[in-house]
Amino acid sequence: MEDKKNSESERRQYIRLDSVLPVEFMLVEKQTSQLLSVPLQGFTSNISKGGICLTANNLSAVLAHQIKAGRAKIDLEIEIPLLAQRIKARTNLAWIKEIDPGKGKYLFGLSYEIIDPKANS
């Protein structure tokens, strides 16, 4: 079991911050940047300089399909306590996991495409 933990930490490129923070996100069409959804609510599972793990509840099957099919990017607004402004980022899907089949609860592994370097540090 220890070997698995060591190999996981060794392949991580960035330190991870395990904090639960509120996130507002929207799906954006990959080619045209046209909005595919209204603002949705989610939470971070962990955050790093390279990306974020997003937990989404009650995601519709239609939107989940758009993400799984690779047709959408995800725009985030992360609310961090003590900061006056939200951190905005455009992300690409690295992986997806349905954690409550049929209930619309998903985990998304997202990599940053666009994020302010100052906010990212």
Side-chain angles (χ1 to χ4, degrees):
M1 176 109 41
E2 178 123 3
D3 291 335
K4 183 179 179 185
K5 227 180 211 183
N6 285 340
S7 65
E8 255 185 57
S9 63
E10 285 175 9
R11 73 175 186 189
R12 296 242 188 245
Q13 188 174 2
Y14 302 105
I15 296 171
R16 301 240 169 222
L17 173 65
D18 285 329
S19 294
V20 176
L21 301 171
V23 177
E24 187 174 272
F25 67 98
M26 291 188 289
L27 274 55
V28 178
E29 207 279 326
K30 224 175 196 176
Q31 302 299 323
T32 65
S33 293
Q34 179 180 351
L35 291 178
L36 298 174
S37 73
V38 298
L40 303 165
Q41 299 297 313
F43 297 93
T44 62
S45 295
N46 60 50
I47 303 170
S48 80
K49 276 191 154 192
I52 189 169
C53 182
L54 173 68
T55 302
N57 297 316
N58 304 317
L59 188 67
S60 75
V62 171
L63 293 178
H65 178 72
Q66 292 285 345
I67 297 167
K68 287 178 187 178
R71 295 186 192 123
K73 294 179 185 264
I74 299 176
D75 281 357
L76 303 173
E77 288 193 16
I78 306 164
E79 192 171 320
I80 298 182
L82 306 176
L83 286 183
Q85 293 182 324
R86 293 177 172 192
I87 295 174
K88 296 180 181 184
R90 173 152 295 171
T91 64
N92 293 304
L93 181 68
W95 54 266
I96 184 171
K97 180 179 179 186
E98 187 172 10
I99 50 178
D100 198 353
K103 304 257 181 179
K105 190 168 184 176
Y106 292 87
L107 286 178
F108 300 106
L110 304 172
S111 62
Y112 301 125
E113 178 181 313
I114 301 170
I115 187 168
D116 180 329
K118 187 176 178 182
N120 197 19
S121 61

